[in-house]
Amino acid sequence: MLDSAAIAQGEFAVIAVLADAVQARVVSAESLAAALGSRTKLAHRPLVTAVLADLSDGTDSVLEHGYLTRVERPHGLPRGRRQATIPGMRAHHDVLYEQAKVVVELDGRDFHSLAHDRYADLARDAAAAAAGHLTVRWGWGQVFHTPCETAARMADLLRQRGWVGVARRCPRCRT
């Protein structure tokens, strides 16, 4: 996988190679990080190192990594738990802000375009709502094209639900 990441063309391709392998349970992020430590040279090494750390923390796809690195982290939003479950439920959620009882689901094309998958998403949202959690769904556009606006909306929502922090401006934020 490290060799595939090294020859990948562009940031998204590097992230996809690593995330796909970890999500498919072909290899763990921790074992890839250990293998990376034994290599003296690798193209994209800083990116691979950062992505492996984020995958170990629960990001599961290019879109989930983008939410972490373009929305949550640079804007100072509270750190959500990734691939988290709500007590009493079995479903895993992309991001859970436990204190605010807010779930973030990141909907890419994979696993969210078929009717069966959409039905499962809606059922999971209803179960989360019954447990007192609000679900927000973001897609590629909100994460990669308007991350600053997405962060501002998330900050407003989290504040309405008890977060006392303040979002910060990132270098991409417009005046």
Side-chain angles (χ1 to χ4, degrees), residues 7-37:
I7 62 171
Q9 299 297 311
E11 176 185 3
F12 292 162
V14 171
I15 297 167
V17 164
L18 299 170
D20 289 351
V22 171
Q23 185 181 42
R25 292 186 170 88
V26 170
V27 66
S28 72
E30 294 78 12
S31 64
L32 284 172
L36 179 62

Side-chain angles (χ1 to χ4, degrees), residues 84-96:
T85 58
I86 295 171
M89 295 177 62
R90 293 183 352 174
H92 286 81
H93 300 281
D94 294 335
V95 183
L96 174 61

Side-chain angles (χ1 to χ4, degrees), residues 12-162:
F12 292 162
V14 171
I15 297 167
V17 164
L18 299 170
D20 289 351
V22 171
Q23 185 181 42
R25 292 186 170 88
V26 170
V27 66
S28 72
E30 294 78 12
S31 64
L32 284 172
L36 179 62
S38 68
R39 299 226 181 158
T40 56
K41 289 185 178 181
L42 185 79
H44 312 297
R45 184 182 203 91
L47 175 60
V48 169
T49 301
V51 170
L52 290 176
D54 293 338
L55 289 169
S56 290
D57 200 31
T59 61
D60 221 8
S61 67
V62 173
L63 186 56
E64 290 179 31
H65 187 265
Y67 179 81
L68 174 64
T69 62
R70 294 173 184 242
V71 177
E72 186 181 279
R73 197 179 279 160
H75 294 95
L77 297 178
R79 182 180 170 151
R81 278 197 321 118
R82 270 126 183 105
Q83 308 315 315
T85 58
I86 295 171
M89 295 177 62
R90 293 183 352 174
H92 286 81
H93 300 281
D94 294 335
V95 183
L96 174 61
Y97 296 102
E98 290 177 279
Q99 299 299 99
K101 292 191 171 190
V102 172
V103 171
V104 172
E105 294 293 351
L106 296 154
D107 291 355
R109 269 187 276 200
D110 292 343
F111 311 114
H112 298 282
S113 59
L114 300 175
H116 177 267
D117 298 327
R118 187 71 182 137
Y119 177 84
D121 287 344
L122 296 172
R124 190 172 53 240
D125 293 351
H133 290 69
L134 174 68
T135 300
V136 179
R137 291 187 171 273
W138 298 119
W140 192 267
Q142 290 86 15
V143 169
F144 290 104
H145 299 293
T146 59
C148 302
E149 291 86 348
T150 300
R153 287 189 182 95
M154 280 304 304
D156 289 344
L157 175 62
L158 292 167
R159 273 195 302 278
Q160 289 171 13
R161 297 183 63 95

